Amino acid sequence: MKRFIALTACALLASTAAIADEKPSDAEAAKIKETLSAWGCEGGTYEKESEGTGVFEIDDAKCKDGQQFDIKLDGDFKLRSMTRD
């Protein structure tokens, strides 16, 4: 039983590392900034989902209305979702 629990824990840790988000490239970050600017937003932290979806996540972007948003862009840098923080 202990062996099963240990193997399960290892599998969970390995799968968590496999789906961790990664930092976008400099070119991708520039496109993200360009898209955010077009929506009247700036700043935040950028991540690229590593599951192969090509989705970019921007956490805590500040927009011209003074509010913060979590934003998702698709692989073509088009707005996918924008949620007030």
Side-chain angles (χ1 to χ4, degrees), residues 61-78:
K62 293 182 182 175
C63 297
K64 62 184 174 185
D65 64 357
Q67 298 190 35
Q68 285 188 346
F69 290 86
D70 290 340
I71 299 170
K72 287 189 178 187
L73 305 175
D74 66 14
D76 295 323
F77 303 96
K78 305 283 186 210

Side-chain angles (χ1 to χ4, degrees), residues 28 31-32 35 39 47-49 52-58 71-81:
E28 291 168 333
K31 290 291 284 180
I32 291 169
T35 302
W39 281 91
E47 294 179 340
K48 181 179 181 180
E49 289 185 356
T53 61
V55 172
F56 297 94
E57 297 178 351
I58 302 91
I71 299 170
K72 287 189 178 187
L73 305 175
D74 66 14
D76 295 323
F77 303 96
K78 305 283 186 210
L79 184 67
R80 188 168 173 186
S81 71

Side-chain angles (χ1 to χ4, degrees), residues 8-71:
T8 303
C10 288
L12 286 173
L13 289 173
S15 66
T16 302
I19 60 171
D21 292 338
E22 53 194 52
K23 183 179 175 184
S25 69
D26 291 340
E28 291 168 333
K31 290 291 284 180
I32 291 169
K33 287 180 185 179
E34 183 181 317
T35 302
L36 289 178
S37 178
W39 281 91
C41 303
E42 63 183 11
T45 56
Y46 306 160
E47 294 179 340
K48 181 179 181 180
E49 289 185 356
S50 59
E51 293 89 22
T53 61
V55 172
F56 297 94
E57 297 178 351
I58 302 91
D59 293 324
D60 302 327
K62 293 182 182 175
C63 297
K64 62 184 174 185
D65 64 357
Q67 298 190 35
Q68 285 188 346
F69 290 86
D70 290 340
I71 299 170

Side-chain angles (χ1 to χ4, degrees), residues 1-10:
M1 184 66 167
K2 289 181 182 180
R3 179 182 265 173
F4 175 74
I5 292 172
L7 288 173
T8 303
C10 288

